[in-house]
Amino acid sequence: MRSRVGQTIQSYMREHQSLYWFTIVLFTMGIIFGAVLVNSLPLSQKQELYGFLQYFFNSLSTSGIPETSAHFQQSFGHYAKTVAIMWVLGLSIIGLPMILLMLFLKGVVVGFTVGFLVSQLQWQGVTFAMLGVLPQNLLVVPALFIIGVSGISFSLRLIQTRLLSKRDVMAPHFMGYTVLVISMLGVLTLAALFETFVSPRLMQLVLP
Protein backbone atom coordinates (compact mmCIF):
# COMPACT_ATOMS: atom_id res chain seq x y z
CA MET A 1 0.00 0.00 0.00
CA ARG A 2 2.77 2.41 0.97
CA SER A 3 4.76 1.61 -2.14
CA ARG A 4 1.69 2.21 -4.30
CA VAL A 5 1.09 5.60 -2.66
CA GLY A 6 4.75 6.48 -3.06
CA GLN A 7 4.70 5.52 -6.73
CA THR A 8 1.55 7.62 -7.24
CA ILE A 9 3.19 10.65 -5.62
CA GLN A 10 6.37 10.20 -7.66
CA SER A 11 4.38 9.87 -10.87
CA TYR A 12 2.36 12.98 -10.00
CA MET A 13 5.51 15.00 -9.26
CA ARG A 14 7.20 13.92 -12.49
CA GLU A 15 4.11 14.79 -14.52
CA HIS A 16 3.78 18.26 -12.98
CA GLN A 17 7.45 19.05 -12.39
CA SER A 18 7.60 21.87 -14.96
CA LEU A 19 4.47 23.51 -13.49
CA TYR A 20 5.93 23.41 -10.00
CA TRP A 21 9.18 25.00 -11.14
CA PHE A 22 7.26 27.70 -12.99
CA THR A 23 5.11 28.54 -9.94
CA ILE A 24 8.17 28.55 -7.66
CA VAL A 25 9.91 31.03 -9.98
CA LEU A 26 6.74 33.13 -10.15
CA PHE A 27 6.38 33.12 -6.35
CA THR A 28 10.06 34.07 -5.96
CA MET A 29 9.56 36.99 -8.36
CA GLY A 30 6.64 38.08 -6.18
CA ILE A 31 8.84 38.00 -3.07
CA ILE A 32 11.48 40.12 -4.79
CA PHE A 33 8.85 42.57 -6.02
CA GLY A 34 7.34 42.85 -2.52
CA ALA A 35 10.75 43.49 -0.96
CA VAL A 36 11.55 46.17 -3.54
CA LEU A 37 8.12 47.72 -2.97
CA VAL A 38 9.08 48.48 0.64
CA ASN A 39 11.86 50.82 -0.49
CA SER A 40 9.52 52.66 -2.86
CA LEU A 41 7.05 53.62 -0.12
CA PRO A 42 7.01 57.30 0.88
CA LEU A 43 8.24 58.13 4.37
CA SER A 44 4.75 59.02 5.63
CA GLN A 45 3.37 55.58 4.75
CA LYS A 46 6.38 53.87 6.32
CA GLN A 47 5.82 55.80 9.53
CA GLU A 48 2.13 54.94 9.54
CA LEU A 49 2.83 51.25 9.02
CA TYR A 50 5.52 51.33 11.69
CA GLY A 51 2.99 52.88 14.09
CA PHE A 52 0.61 49.96 13.47
CA LEU A 53 3.52 47.57 13.97
CA GLN A 54 4.43 49.15 17.31
CA TYR A 55 0.81 49.00 18.46
CA PHE A 56 0.64 45.31 17.53
CA PHE A 57 3.86 44.50 19.39
CA ASN A 58 2.80 46.47 22.47
CA SER A 59 -0.56 44.72 22.68
CA LEU A 60 1.09 41.35 22.01
CA SER A 61 3.64 41.83 24.78
CA THR A 62 1.02 42.82 27.37
CA SER A 63 -1.99 40.62 26.62
CA GLY A 64 -1.08 38.36 23.70
CA ILE A 65 -4.03 37.65 21.43
CA PRO A 66 -7.08 38.19 23.66
CA GLU A 67 -9.71 36.68 21.34
CA THR A 68 -8.02 33.59 19.99
CA SER A 69 -11.24 32.03 18.68
CA ALA A 70 -12.06 35.15 16.65
CA HIS A 71 -8.49 35.31 15.35
CA PHE A 72 -8.60 31.64 14.33
CA GLN A 73 -11.94 32.11 12.57
CA GLN A 74 -10.58 35.10 10.68
CA SER A 75 -7.39 33.30 9.69
CA PHE A 76 -9.18 30.08 8.71
CA GLY A 77 -11.84 32.06 6.84
CA HIS A 78 -9.15 33.81 4.81
CA TYR A 79 -7.50 30.52 3.87
CA ALA A 80 -10.85 28.86 3.10
CA LYS A 81 -11.86 31.71 0.78
CA THR A 82 -8.50 31.56 -0.98
CA VAL A 83 -8.81 27.80 -1.48
CA ALA A 84 -12.41 28.10 -2.72
CA ILE A 85 -11.48 30.82 -5.22
CA MET A 86 -8.50 28.85 -6.54
CA TRP A 87 -10.63 25.68 -6.79
CA VAL A 88 -13.32 27.48 -8.80
CA LEU A 89 -10.71 29.13 -11.04
CA GLY A 90 -9.20 25.72 -11.76
CA LEU A 91 -12.58 24.53 -13.05
CA SER A 92 -12.60 27.13 -15.83
CA ILE A 93 -10.38 27.73 -18.81
CA ILE A 94 -10.04 31.46 -18.12
CA GLY A 95 -9.07 30.82 -14.48
CA LEU A 96 -5.53 29.72 -15.29
CA PRO A 97 -3.92 33.20 -15.39
CA MET A 98 -5.85 34.20 -12.26
CA ILE A 99 -4.34 31.29 -10.31
CA LEU A 100 -0.88 32.41 -11.39
CA LEU A 101 -1.71 35.96 -10.34
CA MET A 102 -2.83 34.79 -6.88
CA LEU A 103 0.43 32.88 -6.34
CA PHE A 104 2.42 35.91 -7.45
CA LEU A 105 0.48 38.19 -5.07
CA LYS A 106 1.09 35.76 -2.20
CA GLY A 107 4.80 36.12 -2.90
CA VAL A 108 4.42 39.91 -2.93
CA VAL A 109 2.73 39.83 0.50
CA VAL A 110 5.45 37.62 2.00
CA GLY A 111 8.24 39.69 0.47
CA PHE A 112 6.70 42.98 1.58
CA THR A 113 6.07 41.74 5.14
CA VAL A 114 9.58 40.39 5.63
CA GLY A 115 11.16 43.35 3.83
CA PHE A 116 9.30 45.88 6.00
CA LEU A 117 10.19 44.10 9.24
CA VAL A 118 13.86 43.95 8.28
CA SER A 119 13.99 47.55 7.02
CA GLN A 120 12.42 48.94 10.19
CA LEU A 121 13.82 46.62 12.87
CA GLN A 122 17.04 45.32 11.28
CA TRP A 123 18.21 42.09 12.94
CA GLN A 124 15.28 42.06 15.33
CA GLY A 125 13.03 42.21 12.27
CA VAL A 126 14.80 39.11 10.93
CA THR A 127 14.02 37.33 14.20
CA PHE A 128 10.36 38.38 14.09
CA ALA A 129 10.12 37.23 10.48
CA MET A 130 11.65 33.86 11.36
CA LEU A 131 9.23 33.34 14.27
CA GLY A 132 6.08 35.15 13.16
CA VAL A 133 6.02 34.84 9.36
CA LEU A 134 8.10 31.84 8.31
CA PRO A 135 6.66 28.92 10.37
CA GLN A 136 3.04 29.03 9.18
CA ASN A 137 4.15 29.86 5.64
CA LEU A 138 6.10 26.60 5.59
CA LEU A 139 2.63 25.04 5.54
CA VAL A 140 0.71 27.72 3.62
CA VAL A 141 3.02 28.19 0.64
CA PRO A 142 3.45 24.49 -0.30
CA ALA A 143 -0.31 23.96 0.13
CA LEU A 144 -1.07 26.87 -2.20
CA PHE A 145 1.52 25.56 -4.68
CA ILE A 146 -0.17 22.16 -4.73
CA ILE A 147 -3.65 23.68 -5.13
CA GLY A 148 -2.41 26.09 -7.79
CA VAL A 149 -0.58 23.46 -9.83
CA SER A 150 -3.56 21.08 -9.58
CA GLY A 151 -5.91 23.85 -10.74
CA ILE A 152 -3.62 24.77 -13.63
CA SER A 153 -3.34 21.11 -14.64
CA PHE A 154 -7.12 20.64 -14.57
CA SER A 155 -7.62 23.86 -16.54
CA LEU A 156 -5.12 22.66 -19.16
CA ARG A 157 -7.05 19.38 -19.46
CA LEU A 158 -10.22 21.39 -20.07
CA ILE A 159 -8.44 23.30 -22.83
CA GLN A 160 -7.31 20.04 -24.43
CA THR A 161 -10.75 18.43 -24.31
CA ARG A 162 -12.89 21.43 -25.28
CA LEU A 163 -10.71 23.50 -27.57
CA LEU A 164 -8.42 20.85 -29.04
CA SER A 165 -11.08 18.12 -29.19
CA LYS A 166 -8.90 15.64 -27.33
CA ARG A 167 -10.93 12.79 -25.82
CA ASP A 168 -10.58 12.46 -22.06
CA VAL A 169 -12.91 11.50 -19.21
CA MET A 170 -12.90 14.47 -16.84
CA ALA A 171 -14.80 12.95 -13.88
CA PRO A 172 -11.79 11.09 -12.35
CA HIS A 173 -9.59 14.17 -12.77
CA PHE A 174 -12.28 16.33 -11.17
CA MET A 175 -12.57 14.00 -8.17
CA GLY A 176 -8.81 13.83 -7.73
CA TYR A 177 -8.53 17.60 -8.00
CA THR A 178 -11.30 18.17 -5.45
CA VAL A 179 -9.93 15.62 -2.95
CA LEU A 180 -6.47 17.17 -3.21
CA VAL A 181 -7.87 20.66 -2.61
CA ILE A 182 -9.80 19.48 0.46
CA SER A 183 -6.65 17.80 1.79
CA MET A 184 -4.70 21.04 1.41
CA LEU A 185 -7.49 22.89 3.22
CA GLY A 186 -6.74 20.58 6.14
CA VAL A 187 -3.08 21.63 5.98
CA LEU A 188 -4.12 25.30 5.94
CA THR A 189 -6.32 24.66 8.98
CA LEU A 190 -3.19 23.52 10.82
CA ALA A 191 -1.46 26.69 9.63
CA ALA A 192 -4.31 28.81 11.02
CA LEU A 193 -4.05 27.01 14.37
CA PHE A 194 -0.29 27.56 14.43
CA GLU A 195 -0.72 31.21 13.51
CA THR A 196 -3.26 31.70 16.31
CA PHE A 197 -1.80 29.73 19.21
CA VAL A 198 1.93 29.22 18.56
CA SER A 199 3.31 32.16 16.56
CA PRO A 200 2.25 34.82 19.14
CA ARG A 201 4.04 32.83 21.87
CA LEU A 202 7.19 32.62 19.76
CA MET A 203 7.13 36.37 19.07
CA GLN A 204 6.59 37.14 22.75
CA LEU A 205 9.90 35.41 23.50
CA VAL A 206 11.86 38.06 21.60
CA LEU A 207 9.77 41.15 22.36
CA PRO A 208 11.80 43.74 24.31
Side-chain angles (χ1 to χ4, degrees):
M1 181 66 180
R2 290 183 178 180
S3 61
R4 184 179 300 176
V5 172
Q7 290 175 358
T8 303
I9 294 175
Q10 289 179 359
S11 176
Y12 173 83
M13 294 301 295
R14 282 196 301 267
E15 182 181 355
H16 299 88
Q17 184 178 12
S18 58
L19 286 178
Y20 275 107
W21 279 114
F22 180 76
T23 53
I24 289 171
V25 171
L26 187 69
F27 180 79
T28 304
M29 291 173 59
I31 292 177
I32 296 172
F33 182 80
V36 172
L37 193 62
V38 173
N39 296 324
S40 64
L41 286 177
L43 182 61
S44 59
Q45 289 186 353
K46 284 185 179 181
Q47 290 175 338
E48 185 176 356
L49 288 173
Y50 185 65
F52 283 119
L53 191 64
Q54 283 184 315
Y55 174 78
F56 170 74
F57 285 150
N58 288 334
S59 62
L60 185 64
S61 62
T62 55
S63 59
I65 296 181
E67 298 180 0
T68 53
S69 60
H71 185 274
F72 170 75
Q73 290 176 4
Q74 182 180 7
S75 180
F76 174 76
H78 168 71
Y79 292 139
K81 289 178 184 176
T82 302
V83 169
I85 292 172
M86 293 181 73
W87 178 74
V88 171
L89 290 174
L91 297 177
S92 62
I93 295 175
I94 61 174
L96 192 153
M98 298 302 297
I99 293 176
L100 295 175
L101 179 62
M102 291 181 69
L103 293 174
F104 176 78
L105 291 178
K106 177 61 179 177
V108 172
V109 171
V110 173
F112 182 86
T113 304
V114 175
F116 185 78
L117 285 171
V118 174
S119 68
Q120 297 299 311
L121 302 174
Q122 285 76 47
W123 285 108
Q124 193 176 29
V126 175
T127 305
F128 282 128
M130 294 292 291
L131 297 179
V133 179
L134 179 63
Q136 61 264 28
N137 275 292
L138 291 177
L139 295 173
V140 173
V141 172
L144 292 182
F145 276 171
I146 292 173
I147 295 171
V149 169
S150 300
I152 293 169
S153 176
F154 190 83
S155 182
L156 289 174
R157 288 185 185 277
L158 287 177
I159 293 174
Q160 291 175 348
T161 54
R162 294 186 180 181
L163 299 183
L164 303 180
S165 300
K166 181 180 178 181
R167 293 184 178 180
D168 195 1
V169 180
M170 295 302 297
H173 299 297
F174 172 77
M175 290 299 298
Y177 172 45
T178 302
V179 169
L180 189 60
V181 169
I182 294 174
S183 301
M184 291 303 103
L185 181 60
V187 174
L188 292 173
T189 302
L190 295 177
L193 288 169
F194 190 96
E195 184 179 327
T196 302
F197 297 102
V198 181
S199 289
R201 303 290 188 273
L202 294 176
M203 287 189 289
Q204 282 178 328
L205 295 176
V206 295
L207 283 172

